[in-house]
Amino acid sequence: MNASAASTVNGGISFWYADQPAPTPREPLAGDASADVCIVGGGYTGLWTAYYLKKAAPFLRITLLEQKFCGYGASGRNGGWLYNGIAGRDRYAAKHGIQAAVRLQEAMNATVTEVIETAAAEGIDADIHHGGVLEVAYTPAQLSRLKAFHEAEQAYGEKDRLLLGARETASRIRIAGAVGSSWTPHGARIHPVKLVTGLARVVEELGVVIHESTPVTEIRPKHAVTPYGTVRAPYVLRCTEGFTAALKGEKRSWLPMNSSMIATEPLTDEQWERIGWAGREALGDMAHAYMYAQRTADGRIALGGRGVPYRFGSKTDNDGRTQPATIEALREILVRFFPSLAGVRIDHAWSGVLGVPRDWCATATLDRSTGLGWAGGYVGSGVATANLAGRTLRDLVQQDSGQAGPTDLTTLPWVDHKVRKWEPEPARWLGVHGLYAAYRAADRREASSHSAATDRLARLADRLSGR
């Protein structure tokens, strides 16, 4: 264990709250209430949905219910990657045709710009730096996957994506052993908490009623049930992502997958000179158990990966605490990428959960027979996808209520997609842990091999998982 481990703050929701004032709790629901639209979940999806609905139809009475406080979940714990990835695109291409999937990808490309421009227009300073996303390879097998990934992205219309060799990659960021990378301009670094708290402020100023410390225990047509009363509304929209399993009847809908992060101490100018990273791109790799990182506005590296992937019975963590072994594993990734940082202090570590559907496809849905809607299953790509979801749910509600007709968003292939449920326990726990054990083993084998082929363990895991 690194000598600095004793000084690492573990949990406390996330590092992103370390330099922010503690959120002032909003009042919980005080009894039965009514609304035109009730939104369950105070993260990006719920807040963007409230924002776009209220802007489109200011007369709507919108109530948002949040079990803790806005930004308690993944929206306040993520890696700060605002980028154009969306879960399930290949599956949508196979089901609906390549052009439908291209439209979905184009919508995601535009979403990155939409978030940046909307934050600026609403006065939300979220430390946004529009430097794109750089995904690197450092083994022969990773390089093969990188080239295939790059070609696939171009096939989906990303003609502005660049494939970089080892020297060009090093000119951007000096990662030990990097042999290539792929860069897209459709990405930005953000401060997750500054975005979610700013969005909550704007939504409240627009007239949306937000009740925090109000857990919803059951959603049924026209009802959101809490311990303090029931909100009745023609439309009830579930925006709970990794916390969905806590709702009655939803235990096997979306699996709450754990992801963990560390943040270093602020690096010196000399350390940054050795690393580079002047473009402040969001950084990822082509490993099976992949990592993601950013250069923060205050000069740290925030880096994440899987850690312990899943807790039995779809349980979630305790305010972001993560296991010491996970912290050490993430520190080892940091040093593997940047050997000169072997002695750097890890100031903060935390965990959160993301929503994973059984077929790994993000969805946005409104059941017109019941008024129940939902969006999520982002599989870790939710910072941008949540914005597209909010605009899509707005259009679906307006279409159903007769305020508007179908739009480009309501006809995207992820709308109304049906997903089968996850297996019951203990098959779910055994399957997920076995899956990530195979991915980690495949990464180790590829690191010690000169083969350009993806390891067979990873190929088997992909088939079993349905990815």
Side-chain angles (χ1 to χ4, degrees), residues 319-404:
D319 287 350
R321 282 193 63 82
T322 195
Q323 298 81 3
T326 297
I327 299 172
E328 180 63 11
L330 293 175
R331 190 192 68 81
E332 289 173 359
I333 294 173
L334 174 74
V335 175
R336 188 256 168 264
F337 271 56
F338 308 112
S340 63
L341 299 184
V344 75
R345 188 178 71 242
I346 305 302
D347 275 357
H348 212 120
W350 69 100
S351 291
V353 291
L354 48 100
V356 180
R358 186 61 182 85
D359 64 358
W360 302 73
C361 289
T363 58
T365 296
L366 179 66
D367 184 338
R368 303 184 71 173
S369 67
T370 64
L372 297 179
W374 59 89
Y378 305 132
V379 196
S381 302
V383 178
T385 313
N387 176 277
L388 179 62
R391 287 180 285 133
T392 302
L393 288 174
R394 170 203 60 193
D395 288 1
L396 289 170
V397 168
Q398 289 204 290
Q399 178 183 343
D400 184 71
S401 61
Q403 298 173 39

Side-chain angles (χ1 to χ4, degrees), residues 51-128:
Y51 173 81
Y52 287 110
L53 270 171
K54 196 66 172 174
K55 294 284 278 190
F59 57 86
L60 285 177
R61 297 175 302 136
I62 302 173
T63 295
L64 186 150
L65 305 175
E66 163 55 40
Q67 67 163 336
K68 295 277 190 172
F69 56 83
C70 291
Y72 174 80
S75 299
R77 308 189 199 188
N78 63 80
W81 271 43
L82 175 69
Y83 87 119
N84 66 338
I86 185 166
R89 185 189 61 188
D90 290 348
R91 195 175 293 269
Y92 288 129
K95 184 175 181 180
H96 299 280
I98 185 68
Q99 286 308 311
V102 167
R103 286 204 306 120
L104 181 59
Q105 185 59 66
E106 289 172 346
M108 283 302 305
N109 296 348
T111 293
V112 173
T113 303
E114 170 72 14
V115 173
I116 294 171
E117 292 181 348
T118 302
E122 296 292 356
I124 301 172
D125 181 2
D127 294 340
I128 297 174

Side-chain angles (χ1 to χ4, degrees), residues 390-444:
R391 287 180 285 133
T392 302
L393 288 174
R394 170 203 60 193
D395 288 1
L396 289 170
V397 168
Q398 289 204 290
Q399 178 183 343
D400 184 71
S401 61
Q403 298 173 39
T407 68
D408 289 343
L409 298 186
T410 62
T411 59
L412 289 174
W414 75 318
V415 173
D416 293 335
H417 177 70
K418 303 297 189 294
V419 181
R420 70 182 176 93
K421 292 185 179 295
W422 281 88
E423 291 78 3
E425 299 289 19
R428 190 159 72 243
W429 186 92
L430 290 169
V432 174
H433 280 260
L435 174 72
Y436 277 93
Y439 282 141
R440 285 189 288 266
D443 284 331
R444 290 193 297 269

Side-chain angles (χ1 to χ4, degrees), residues 67 72-74 77 240-247 256 316-317 352-355:
Q67 67 163 336
Y72 174 80
R77 308 189 199 188
T240 48
E241 190 57 355
F243 292 86
T244 299
L247 291 165
T316 54
D317 61 81
V353 291
L354 48 100

Side-chain angles (χ1 to χ4, degrees), residues 180-200:
S181 62
S182 180
W183 176 82
T184 175
H186 302 293
R189 174 211 72 193
I190 69 162
H191 187 300
V193 165
K194 288 183 179 179
L195 178 59
V196 74
T197 56
L199 190 54

Side-chain angles (χ1 to χ4, degrees), residues 110-175:
T111 293
V112 173
T113 303
E114 170 72 14
V115 173
I116 294 171
E117 292 181 348
T118 302
E122 296 292 356
I124 301 172
D125 181 2
D127 294 340
I128 297 174
H129 183 86
H130 195 175
V133 179
L134 188 72
E135 293 173 272
V136 302
Y138 49 86
T139 70
Q142 285 189 22
L143 184 60
S144 292
R145 289 197 296 276
L146 177 82
K147 291 177 178 178
F149 164 75
H150 181 85
E151 290 175 3
E153 297 307 296
Q154 288 188 315
Y156 283 111
E158 249 192 281
K159 304 305 183 185
D160 46 3
R161 178 176 283 272
L162 301 178
L163 183 65
L164 308 175
R167 186 176 301 174
E168 294 169 303
T169 300
S171 72
R172 290 174 177 256
I173 182 169
R174 287 180 281 283
I175 294 169

